Amino acid sequence: MRPRLWIAIDGPAGSGKSTVARMLARRLGLLHVDTGAMYRALTLKALREGVDLQDEEALVELARRTHITLTPACSGGGVRVFLEGEDVTEAVRSPEVSRSVSLVARVPGVRELMVRWQREMAAQWGGVVMEGRDVGTVILPDAQLKVFLTASPEERARRRQQDLLAQGYRVDLERLVQEISERDRLDRSRPVAPLVPAPDAWVIDSSGLTAEEVVEMITARVLGG
Ligand code: DC
């Protein structure tokens, strides 16, 4: 078997996972796998097809006939997400998808399929920085390094507001704090793969830190063995 380095980055929405995972992957020459983008792509498809998001069976059936792929982007950009061959990288970040994705991600049958695809990706790609909610606990329990990134809800809402603004969406901060707290509550309390740090995860509170500082800390640990 070829040597591989698996790094798991888990944490709640707006904790800085995506930025840190992207930068870290580039820094260490690994591939970046954004598992949240896969749940978002399936949610986008469900919304487009008008699937009832409360209907678990319909969501599993939808997942079974859905083809989602991630490709590492060239020229320094992030990973791109494809839904049946269509590039939906920007579309999966819409507020509508963000509001609905927890309903899709809580379905056990959907998660089973996603975890299978995510493990296949890690095995095929070799060295990966995989980010999500359950990477260290469920997808890659034997990852060499597990990081659980967190930050206060207010800080996370501010970051999300900036991201959305950059994409042309103007969203009220108060509303974002509420949405983030509600999404956390759903993600933490779901019976399957709840959002909790793995027992052997390194918990980093990024509230007072820049993404560069977090990447520096993680790189030092990886290179230092
Ligand atoms: O990281 P994100 O905001 O793109 O994640 C979108 C949603 O998917 C969020 O509600 C949590 C869920 N998710 C999950 O349940 N498991 C993962 N491995 C990744 C994301």
Side-chain angles (χ1 to χ4, degrees):
M1 213 174 102
R2 66 178 148 158
R4 49 133 184 101
L5 174 60
W6 289 343
I7 300 179
I9 313 259
D10 291 302
S15 59
K17 290 190 307 297
S18 297
T19 311
V20 166
R22 187 174 61 242
M23 288 168 61
L24 187 68
R26 204 175 309 152
R27 177 85 178 264
L28 297 172
L30 305 173
L31 291 165
H32 172 204
V33 181
D34 176 357
T35 60
M38 299 171 72
Y39 288 97
R40 286 172 176 272
L42 184 61
T43 305
L44 179 67
K45 184 164 178 181
L47 291 170
R48 282 178 175 175
E49 291 199 5
V51 174
D52 176 2
L53 299 182
Q54 304 290 344
D55 184 342
E56 299 203 357
E57 254 172 58
L59 287 170
V60 176
E61 192 275 323
L62 181 75
R64 277 204 199 103
R65 58 182 172 81
T66 296
H67 190 58
I68 298 167
T69 45
L70 299 180
T71 59
C74 35
S75 70
V79 71
R80 303 211 66 86
V81 194
F82 292 84
L83 177 62
E84 320 298 358
E86 176 195 348
D87 187 340
V88 291
T89 312
E90 278 78 33
V92 299
R93 301 280 146 207
S94 74
E96 199 191 358
V97 170
S98 297
R99 274 195 292 276
S100 311
V101 63
S102 280
L103 294 171
V104 175
R106 71 178 179 176
V107 178
V110 167
R111 299 200 70 85
E112 239 171 73
L113 284 169
M114 290 283 181
V115 168
R116 194 186 310 156
W117 297 335
Q118 289 151 1
R119 284 184 182 148
E120 280 169 8
M121 264 187 251
Q124 274 171 16
W125 290 11
V128 294
V129 177
M130 189 177 279
E131 59 150 309
R133 302 292 191 287
D134 58 339
V135 183
T137 49
V138 177
I139 308 171
L140 303 176
D142 52 351
Q144 284 87 342
L145 181 64
K146 300 177 187 177
V147 174
F148 191 90
L149 207 56
T150 159
S152 68
E154 292 72 23
E155 169 86 23
R156 287 156 48 205
R158 259 193 304 278
R159 291 176 185 169
R160 191 53 46 128
Q161 191 185 39
Q162 291 303 314
D163 285 353
L164 287 169
L165 204 58
Q167 294 160 42
Y169 299 107
R170 197 173 287 277
V171 186
D172 178 58
L173 187 66
E174 211 37 45
R175 180 166 166 199
L176 276 178
V177 174
Q178 272 171 19
E179 276 181 20
I180 281 185
S181 304
E182 173 61 9
R183 204 131 66 89
D184 282 357
R185 193 185 63 73
L186 285 171
D187 290 343
R188 281 198 190 108
S189 61
R190 68 179 174 218
V192 180
L195 175 66
V196 288
D200 52 347
W202 177 22
V203 179
I204 302 177
D205 185 337
S206 72
S207 293
L209 300 168
T210 63
E212 286 80 7
E213 286 169 329
V214 176
V215 170
E216 209 46 61
M217 286 163 64
I218 300 173
T219 306
R221 174 144 332 176
V222 172
L223 299 181

